[in-house]
Amino acid sequence: MDTRYVTIRKAAVQSTQDEARSAFESHDRAAVLVIADRQTRGRGRLGAEWWEAPRAMYASLAVAPDWPEETWPRLSLVTGLAVADAIESDLGVPVALKWPNDVMRNDAKVGGVLLEAQEDCVVIGCGLNLWWPDAPSGFGAVLAEDPGPDVAAGLASSWADSVMDALQGSPDGWNLARYRTRSSILGRRITWEPAGAGLAIDVDVAGYLHVETERGIERIGSGRVRLVRRATVAPDQEAEDQTT
């Protein structure tokens, strides 16, 4: 059993983010993983509307990283990679990552990452749709059948272990190469809000997305964007872009 963090499991909470931050304080600022079967007031990145699947993993890890504060934003990518690896190793299902914080399967969003920092505490949240037979358009689930209530806890622990492993190393030592292979947008044309369009060509170790635009190469941080979408292009144009 991993003893680098305290694990708390609850049937339902308003927000695992809030529960994890509170537990971090009450456990003398030790790392805490909170896992819940349901959330009643979950939140997405930048206040995005929260959708709840009938079977999901809701988990938040509160930790005081040794990494310099200016490197904390890259934990969104580290966390996304950790959950993708956990899904593949525990459930045998390959998923992709859409920069900066979405987990994708067959072009549908099946999960997301939320990073919130306050003083020396970072709360890293992950919501993952495990089963959702009637998902709204654009959303999906990892599994076609309901896995039952116990899968989420094991998956959350695998994810948290991977994040803690990454935090043991250097901020520049996380597995960027594997993140690139899991990316769903590199080599493709994208648009982003508030206003931007171009060809996604790389992600760097600091977590910035590099996009080739009409103005040249732009290096975009997640704090600058509200939403990233695959651009709609003709099939022959997209094929050309992928070989650029």
Side-chain angles (χ1 to χ4, degrees):
M1 178 180 294
D2 197 311
T3 59
R4 295 175 292 177
Y5 54 84
V6 176
T7 300
I8 299 171
R9 185 173 182 184
K10 296 193 173 186
V13 298
Q14 290 187 347
S15 164
T16 58
Q17 292 289 99
D18 297 338
E19 291 283 336
R21 186 181 301 281
S22 177
F24 177 81
E25 297 293 344
S26 63
H27 285 80
D28 296 324
R29 306 182 74 77
V32 177
L33 172 67
V34 173
I35 308 166
D37 297 327
R38 292 189 61 249
Q39 285 193 128
T40 59
R41 293 185 183 177
R43 57 183 178 269
R45 180 173 172 269
L46 301 179
E49 184 177 3
W50 183 263
W51 295 80
E52 183 165 321
R55 184 72 68 194
M57 182 196 85
Y58 304 114
S60 292
L61 177 67
V63 63
D66 290 331
W67 289 7
E69 186 174 349
E70 63 269 20
T71 68
W72 292 356
R74 69 187 67 178
L75 285 171
S76 290
L77 279 67
V78 172
T79 299
L81 179 59
V83 75
D85 287 346
I87 291 167
E88 187 157 351
S89 63
D90 288 17
L91 304 180
V93 177
V95 294
L97 298 168
K98 188 178 80 171
W99 185 95
N101 70 322
D102 289 345
V103 182
M104 309 293 291
R105 176 160 168 74
N106 299 327
D107 290 330
K109 180 175 177 177
V110 299
V113 172
L114 177 63
L115 191 74
E116 297 177 318
Q118 183 177 338
E119 297 179 348
D120 66 338
C121 176
V122 177
V123 184
I124 310 165
C126 180
L128 187 66
N129 306 326
L130 295 178
W131 173 69
W132 202 351
D134 299 309
S137 177
F139 292 82
V142 175
L143 300 170
E145 302 291 336
D146 186 352
D150 297 325
V151 167
L155 190 63
S157 294
S158 295
W159 159 68
D161 289 347
S162 183
V163 173
M164 294 297 287
D165 286 344
L167 286 171
Q168 295 297 309
S170 158
D172 294 336
W174 67 281
N175 202 325
L176 174 59
R178 190 158 74 244
Y179 183 92
R180 287 169 171 153
T181 66
R182 288 199 181 275
S183 173
S184 68
I185 63 171
L186 290 184
R188 299 184 182 276
R189 292 196 173 274
I190 61 169
T191 62
W192 68 90
E193 296 179 3
L199 178 67
I201 59 174
D202 199 11
V203 175
D204 64 31
V205 71
Y208 286 82
L209 179 66
H210 295 217
V211 183
E212 187 177 90
T213 73
E214 294 178 350
R215 299 175 297 278
I217 304 298
E218 289 199 37
R219 186 170 177 259
I220 303 167
S222 59
R224 283 183 52 191
V225 304
R226 290 195 299 271
L227 183 66
V228 174
R229 290 190 177 95
R230 287 265 300 277
T232 302
V233 297
D236 57 340
Q237 180 65 55
E238 182 160 342
E240 178 182 332
D241 291 341
Q242 292 183 64
T243 59
T244 300

